[in-house]
Amino acid sequence: MSPIREIDSKIITATVKRLFLEANTCLGADVLAALQISLDREESALGRQVLARMLENAAVAKEESSPICQDTGLAVVFVELGQDVHVAGDLLNAAIEEGVRQAYDEGYFRKSVCDPLTRANTGDNTPAVIHVEITAGDRIRLAVMPKGGGSENMSSVTMLLPTAGREGIRRHIVEAVLKAGPNPCPPVIVGVGIGGSIEESLLLAKKALLRPVGRKNSRDERLADLEQVILADVNRLGGGPQGFGGSVSALAVHVEMKPCHIASLPVAVNIQCHVARHGEAIIFRMQNYRSIKTPLTDELCASLHAGDMILLSGEVFTARDAAHRRLEETLRRGEALPFDVRGAVIFYAGPAPARPGRIIGSIGPTTSYRMDPFAPLLMEQGLKGMIGKGKRSPEVVAAMKRYRAVYFGAIGGIAALTARCVRNAETVAYADLGPEAILRLELVDLPVVVVNDVEGRDLYEEARKRSKP
């Protein structure tokens, strides 16, 4: 029987407060990357101007700690509550709502919650909209979403005929986005929930918006294909940024699905504006882990500090000694690397072979100093993160300061457990090297610690100094 882990409600309140303060003032790296890609793809001159102003606004909001949008939204919170967790102090919902209250007061955020009949404002942006799911384990995962009213008003749920099929679903979603037009501040993100009951389809559509913008559905290739088809259809509508005309009406379409009754086919469409604000954190065994996703940016790296406990998700690449030698030789010849290193994270790891039916074998960090001769060159090309174990050379630490990169320490000797954080793995280069080949991994919540940050701090050195008598 697993021991019960006690988590103080004050930690929950503080975490919710931080997440809403950050979400309303700092647009996520995934959204910024999607807007930048759209700026490059937009065919309309006016559309490009609109997208450029959106990116500029995000930079100003972060610099001034101002809300990205004046509508700082309903406070929507998704909670995954481990069944081995006991919340001590306030009730879970009360702790969350106190965090919302503090964030909206201290952030000077607009309070937009009111009584539906009298329209009297509650004055503190509560009650929050809280969805709780009981999961295995001894941690609490919090995902917050300030959801603006303009985009929420364009959302809908419909009971299609059971025989509508894929084509009927596709057509309905495209028509829903067309009907919304410029009202939800395009380019939009379209969350879609298919199946379940009528209320579950709505919840699926809302949860779909929490997925990093543009990341395809990794559990069902049918849905991943449908997402791309609908995205292309929506962008062919010609609405463009803000509806002024153009080729980018949507940044992404995210579809989630569950089985439904044989007589029903509920389809919910939840539209999100281009200010797709969200944030996540995990509270684990009394510790407050910060969840981050790749690719990494200068801004994200600057926010990380030696000693920070991180749960890392997203795409990373494995590479060890032999692969690094080839990468260096490739660059010396003036050729392109086999993967885009800009914003990337390299995991110094060589996994064991995967058993049949497994994604990957046991995988853990390699001692990092062997990659020190190659790291500065890769950081010069845009590498932002490295995962390994052990100290780095002074030259590598200096390069991290110069190129605004970070080094994460992973736990050695827990390779079987680490493998559970890998949701997908594929070889992208140097297959002839066997376990030394470069793999692209999709990670979910890999626990790491920031060892070296962009300011030059070194966790190993700090720990050594503290241990002196």
Side-chain angles (χ1 to χ4, degrees):
M1 182 176 178
S2 299
I4 298 297
R5 302 291 182 180
E6 188 171 276
I7 293 177
D8 193 318
S9 64
K10 291 184 176 63
I11 296 176
I12 298 171
T13 294
T15 304
V16 170
K17 172 186 172 181
R18 174 177 63 81
L19 289 175
F20 274 105
L21 285 170
E22 291 177 354
N24 266 317
T25 58
C26 301
L27 203 55
D30 58 329
V31 186
L32 291 172
L35 288 171
Q36 185 61 59
I37 291 170
S38 297
L39 179 62
D40 297 335
R41 293 177 177 173
E42 175 55 56
E43 298 172 359
S44 159
L46 178 55
R48 289 193 297 273
Q49 285 294 314
V50 170
L51 291 167
R53 296 292 80 74
M54 290 175 177
L55 287 164
E56 183 181 4
N57 175 73
V60 170
K62 181 171 184 175
E63 180 182 349
E64 299 181 354
S65 295
S66 297
I68 306 163
C69 177
Q70 78 285 348
D71 185 350
T72 46
L74 282 170
V76 181
V77 183
F78 289 90
V79 184
E80 293 181 9
L81 178 64
Q83 65 178 4
D84 298 324
V85 167
H86 168 68
V87 177
D90 292 335
L91 294 175
L92 174 64
N93 281 24
I96 291 171
E97 294 197 334
E98 180 57 27
V100 171
R101 189 175 295 113
Q102 292 180 16
Y104 277 73
D105 276 343
E106 294 184 24
Y108 290 88
F109 299 156
R110 196 179 80 183
K111 303 172 180 72
S112 301
V113 177
C114 70
D115 182 283
L117 299 181
T118 66
R119 313 306 294 180
N121 199 299
T122 63
D124 59 8
N125 221 58
T126 68
V129 180
I130 303 172
H131 304 285
V132 180
E133 177 184 357
I134 305 300
T135 59
D138 57 359
R139 65 184 186 177
I140 299 175
R141 176 192 289 274
L142 298 169
V144 309
M145 178 193 299
K147 189 64 164 68
S151 61
E152 190 78 350
N153 289 345
M154 296 297 103
S155 304
S156 64
V157 61
T158 301
M159 303 300 289
L160 297 182
L161 293 175
T163 54
R166 184 182 187 276
E167 176 57 23
I169 293 170
R170 181 202 65 79
R171 186 168 55 248
H172 170 73
I173 297 166
V174 175
E175 289 173 353
V177 179
L178 177 62
K179 182 179 178 181
N183 293 336
C185 282
V188 298
I189 296 94
V190 184
V192 178
I194 303 172
S197 57
I198 190 168
E199 75 277 10
E200 188 166 32
S201 68
L202 286 163
L203 188 57
L204 285 172
K206 184 64 67 66
K207 289 179 74 173
L209 295 175
L210 289 173
R211 195 194 311 164
V213 174
R215 181 173 295 172
K216 69 178 184 179
N217 189 307
S218 61
R219 294 180 299 278
D220 192 323
E221 283 299 323
R222 299 171 302 167
L223 300 184
D225 178 69
L226 184 60
E227 290 172 346
Q228 294 306 305
V229 169
I230 295 172
L231 178 62
D233 288 343
V234 167
N235 283 332
R236 275 194 291 268
L237 294 174
Q242 292 294 289
F244 295 156
S247 53
V248 181
S249 299
L251 300 176
V253 176
H254 296 167
V255 182
E256 299 293 339
M257 183 171 72
K258 283 192 175 180
C260 61
H261 193 282
I262 58 173
S264 302
L265 180 53
V267 177
V269 178
N270 196 264
I271 295 178
Q272 177 66 290
C273 65
H274 73 273
V275 185
R277 298 160 292 187
H278 52 264
E280 293 185 14
I282 290 183
I283 304 170
F284 181 70
R285 295 187 182 182
M286 295 292 288
Q287 301 292 342
N288 192 358
Y289 277 74
R290 178 182 176 186
S291 294
I292 66 171
K293 295 182 174 66
T294 62
L296 305 185
T297 63
D298 284 349
E299 293 78 15
L300 178 55
C301 288
S303 73
L304 301 175
H305 306 287
D308 285 355
M309 295 178 295
I310 302 296
L311 290 171
L312 181 67
S313 299
E315 180 182 85
V316 305
F317 299 89
T318 67
R320 298 201 334 157
D321 310 61
H324 273 78
R325 173 64 68 187
R326 289 194 184 180
L327 293 173
E328 180 192 47
E329 292 169 349
T330 298
L331 289 172
R332 299 302 184 198
R333 292 194 300 267
E335 299 173 358
L337 295 176
F339 63 94
D340 189 354
V341 75
R342 293 171 299 178
V345 174
I346 290 181
F347 188 1
Y348 300 149
R355 292 179 180 274
R358 299 280 181 88
I359 295 172
I360 200 168
S362 294
I363 180 171
T366 291
T367 308
S368 302
Y369 75 87
R370 301 199 310 269
M371 270 55 72
D372 283 356
F374 314 103
L377 179 61
L378 291 173
M379 283 186 269
E380 183 181 353
Q381 303 301 312
L383 180 69
K384 285 297 177 187
M386 296 154 284
I387 305 170
K389 63 185 178 75
K391 284 183 64 63
R392 310 308 301 269
S393 70
E395 292 77 15
V396 172
V397 174
M400 281 187 272
K401 290 181 65 176
R402 184 162 61 252
Y403 298 114
R404 315 296 285 173
V406 293
Y407 170 52
F408 300 104
I411 301 173
I414 60 166
L417 184 61
T418 299
R420 290 189 174 185
C421 299
V422 180
R423 298 301 167 84
N424 190 48
E426 59 177 328
T427 302
V428 296
Y430 315 146
D432 61 297
L433 294 179
E436 300 275 302
I438 294 181
L439 306 181
R440 178 188 291 112
L441 307 181
E442 182 181 341
L443 297 181
V444 176
D445 293 343
L446 175 69
V448 294
V449 178
V450 179
V451 174
N452 295 103
D453 59 28
V454 301
E455 301 300 327
R457 288 181 56 195
D458 186 315
L459 182 62
Y460 294 133
E461 287 296 319
E462 293 179 1
R464 185 181 60 83
K465 290 175 182 177
R466 287 195 299 270
S467 67
K468 283 186 176 181

